[in-house]
Amino acid sequence: MSTLWRIAEVVSGVPESETSRTIALRVDGLNGNLAGQHIDIRLTADDGYTAVRSYSLATAGMDEIIEITVDELANGEVSPYLVRNLMVGDQLEIRGPVGAWFVWRPTDSNPVQLIAGGSGIVPLMSMIRAHEASDNPSPFRLLYSLKSPGAGFYREELLRISRESAKLAVDYAYTRQAPQGWPDPPRRLSEEALLATILPVEAAPAIFICGQTIFVETVSGWLVQAGYPSGSIKTERFGGTGGLG
């Protein structure tokens, strides 16, 4: 982990939704990152004012190219610039990669249950990509809770991986608007629906949950009540008022 600020050059920017964008950064001398880590980004205004924000990495491996996916926040100081104004060739100050707890390593042998709320999919996507690139045969299962189909990230890639690989299964839960022809009406994620979808207790999965605070706290509480060991559950959360619906 680096605690020093360094320069990252923007090499691409691809929209994920109407309000989000995946940004690829080249960091000279970077020795890659672990799946689940994040970086800090620092922006400095002309008057010297600085703002620092943390963003999960969507990629993992031994590479000088890293990716973040940024969802624009209303009245945000940093995310609107990253989503709307940042251009290829621009440079950013970054620190990291950071984190050694909320990570998945190819040497881990447990089945893995990933649970994402909204943009909480980003660090879990780095785990999925690292898993696909490895020889690790352990099954991965993803439950992705979204307000609507248009709010999802990485849809085509998740569809391709789940179709081509026996190592990943993907389940969606829609809380406000479901795709046309979807078998279930949109509704808040419930404890019953959660437990009916994820890997069972007896499979002894390692569980990673990422999303807004109330989503993470509610889901992790349901899991503990259902008998999943608290030590098998790792969480990453971010602020906001959104929840299960």
Side-chain angles (χ1 to χ4, degrees), residues 119-142:
S119 59
I121 184 64
V122 179
L124 307 187
M125 192 67 197
S126 73
M127 298 179 189
I128 290 171
R129 288 168 169 168
H131 183 234
E132 285 302 304
S134 75
D135 295 326
N136 188 310
S138 300
F140 266 43
R141 193 172 190 100
L142 167 67

Side-chain angles (χ1 to χ4, degrees), residues 205-223:
I207 302 172
F208 295 87
I209 311 170
C210 188
Q212 292 185 334
T213 298
I214 190 172
F215 176 89
V216 171
E217 292 181 349
T218 301
V219 169
S220 59
W222 287 341
L223 293 173

Side-chain angles (χ1 to χ4, degrees), residues 9-25:
E9 181 181 353
V10 179
V11 295
S12 69
V14 179
E16 291 288 345
S17 69
E18 292 183 357
T19 61
S20 64
R21 185 186 190 198
T22 292
I23 301 164
L25 304 169

Side-chain angles (χ1 to χ4, degrees), residues 81-183:
Y81 172 76
L82 297 179
V83 173
R84 304 291 178 184
N85 302 112
L86 195 67
M87 299 179 64
V88 171
D90 286 348
Q91 293 184 332
L92 296 171
E93 287 185 291
I94 74 153
R95 181 173 58 193
V98 179
W101 183 72
F102 191 81
V103 298
W104 178 84
R105 296 174 173 85
T107 54
D108 296 343
S109 59
N110 287 74
V112 174
Q113 177 67 59
L114 308 172
I115 303 174
S119 59
I121 184 64
V122 179
L124 307 187
M125 192 67 197
S126 73
M127 298 179 189
I128 290 171
R129 288 168 169 168
H131 183 234
E132 285 302 304
S134 75
D135 295 326
N136 188 310
S138 300
F140 266 43
R141 193 172 190 100
L142 167 67
L143 173 59
Y144 192 2
S145 178
L146 293 168
K147 292 179 180 179
S148 65
F153 297 172
Y154 320 121
R155 177 172 297 277
E156 294 303 318
E157 184 176 358
L158 286 171
L159 178 61
R160 177 186 59 77
I161 294 174
S162 62
R163 282 180 173 175
E164 296 177 357
S165 173
K167 298 198 298 182
L168 176 68
V170 179
D171 303 288
Y172 286 93
Y174 296 100
T175 63
R176 298 190 184 179
Q177 178 187 352
Q180 186 174 6
W182 193 253

